[in-house]
Amino acid sequence: MIESQRHSYHLVDPSPWPISGSLGALATTVGGVMYMHSFQGGATLLSLGLIFLLYTMFVWWRDVLRESTLEGHHTKAVQLGPRYGSILFIVSEVMFLFAFFWASSHSSLAPTVEIGGIWPPKGIGVLDPWEIPLLNTPILPSSGAAVTWAHHAILAGKEKRAVYALVATVLLALVSTGFQGMEYYQAPSTISDSIYGSTFFLATGFHGFHVIIGTLFLIVCGIRQYLGHLTKKHHVGFEAAAWYWHFVDVVRLFPFVSIYWWGGI
Amino acid sequence: MPIATGLEREELAAELKGEKRFDMDPPVGPFGTKEAPAVIESYYNKRIVGCPGGEGEDEHDVVWFWLKKDEPHECPVCSQYFVLKVIGDGGDPDGHDDDDEHHH
């Protein structure tokens, strides 16, 4: 087919992954609701759903890598698809996190009488923003600088240096997640402690979860760079990971300023 | 030549030679008349064509039609005249068996 193909698009083969991903998502949401309402078997269905979903993600993206890197189906026109897709996905992620900051601001700008009319609510202990939160805030932008170093190395064809830069990026990401874990471990409140705990852990927790997703994405890029999958001219996966990483590192500044600092003093 | 394979490699190789690997551009040319028709090339015995009319004031909304082999077409809006020139193996572009010799 290839030798006669006169258009530049990739007409994909039939794949089982869309339906398996849908079933995994269904089991995950139903199992999650069952689990949170203490239904019997909820934890089992949730776990099976998550395993199914993670398996689907692995094999689907494995297939995309085979089609692009090993079979050469990703012409210039095809590369535009995942590019636009990644950008739109990140835009939707910005809106997702915006909702949590909205909830936090909504609750803290005019604190209700139930929480003593003050923010942080009466009796709630908060973290000192000038300790670990401040220390942790520049780590993600530094990691963002390291991913830019990796990008320049890829564009310059310095393959080994790009791997080193990605290792540095991932290490900084892990340090950040480590600090976040430490902070949660020592936190004076929990997610069930008033609207403060709910909004604090929802916003910082989802941000931390996105840091972990971005870290996994960067690790995959590092492995692919090590294997020689990424070239000077074609490294869409890396670009998407770098955009995602910059989204995650810039977003860190919002919880620091509005939740830890403004909302914690 | 960067490391690449398959269709991606063919695209890059053609680019290095200053050629185009794919046939993605719409046909353009002078306004077709009965004496000098607009010749539309096709790999098959028919092709979907859109007539945008003439230049400037004579432009009209694109009108789409099937242009068939040995059946010239006259645009009902601007009377531009089209003929099909088969440059491939001919045959029918429809259906699911048009991936040439290979079947998966």
Side-chain angles (χ1 to χ4, degrees), chain A residues 161-181:
Chain A
R161 204 172 298 176
V163 176
Y164 298 148
L166 278 166
V167 168
T169 310
V170 168
L171 285 178
L172 284 164
L174 294 176
V175 168
S176 166
T177 302
F179 274 133
Q180 188 78 21

Side-chain angles (χ1 to χ4, degrees), chain A residues 2 12 92 164:
Chain A
I2 288 249
V12 292
S92 79
Y164 298 148

Side-chain angles (χ1 to χ4, degrees), chain A:
Chain A
M1 185 169 166
I2 288 249
E3 57 268 31
S4 66
Q5 186 174 320
R6 287 179 287 268
H7 62 78
S8 51
Y9 299 114
H10 178 203
L11 306 182
V12 292
D13 289 325
S15 160
W17 312 135
I19 188 68
S20 84
S22 304
L23 292 173
L26 180 68
T28 302
T29 44
V30 174
V33 170
M34 284 171 69
Y35 175 68
M36 285 186 263
H37 288 271
S38 305
F39 274 80
Q40 222 172 24
T44 312
L45 188 61
L46 176 60
S47 310
L48 285 174
L50 283 172
I51 290 168
F52 215 65
L53 207 52
L54 289 171
Y55 171 75
T56 302
M57 288 159 80
F58 183 84
V59 288
W60 194 334
W61 277 319
R62 178 203 63 186
D63 280 2
V64 173
L65 298 192
R66 287 175 175 173
E67 288 159 359
S68 58
T69 307
L70 306 181
E71 295 177 0
H73 287 297
H74 285 203
T75 60
K76 292 194 169 165
V78 175
Q79 288 172 39
L80 286 176
R83 251 202 207 101
Y84 285 133
S86 302
I87 290 167
L88 289 173
F89 174 65
I90 290 169
V91 169
S92 79
E93 291 273 74
V94 169
M95 296 180 196
F96 177 77
L97 287 168
F98 191 84
F100 302 141
F101 294 121
W102 187 289
S104 179
S105 301
H106 174 90
S107 309
S108 60
L109 282 169
T112 59
V113 69
E114 289 88 342
I115 57 172
I118 49 164
W119 192 270
K122 196 170 165 55
I124 291 291
V126 297
L127 293 159
D128 182 352
W130 307 115
E131 290 178 358
I132 289 182
L134 176 67
L135 174 63
N136 209 8
T137 299
I139 293 177
L140 283 181
S142 306
S143 180
V147 86
T148 302
W149 170 27
H151 201 171
H152 282 278
I154 290 172
L155 291 174
K158 309 272 186 197
E159 293 178 6
K160 263 194 181 164
R161 204 172 298 176
V163 176
Y164 298 148
L166 278 166
V167 168
T169 310
V170 168
L171 285 178
L172 284 164
L174 294 176
V175 168
S176 166
T177 302
F179 274 133
Q180 188 78 21
M182 206 167 114
E183 185 183 292
Y184 275 19
Y185 186 69
Q186 300 177 339
S189 61
T190 72
I191 196 166
S192 55
D193 284 326
S194 84
I195 187 67
Y196 181 87
S198 304
T199 52
F200 177 87
F201 284 102
L202 199 69
T204 59
F206 262 114
H207 179 257
F209 181 55
H210 282 79
V211 170
I212 292 169
I213 294 169
T215 309
L216 291 170
F217 201 171
L218 287 165
I219 289 172
V220 170
C221 286
I223 294 169
R224 294 190 67 209
Q225 173 61 27
Y226 178 74
L227 294 174
H229 286 194
L230 311 179
T231 68
K232 275 189 202 183
K233 299 263 172 169
H234 187 175
H235 45 266
V236 177
F238 172 86
E239 284 176 300
W243 292 332
Y244 192 82
W245 198 238
H246 287 309
F247 146 68
V248 166
D249 72 39
V250 168
V251 165
R252 163 72 195 181
L253 303 175
F254 291 93
F256 178 72
V257 172
S258 72
I259 296 179
Y260 287 95
W261 181 10
W262 182 83
I265 286 180

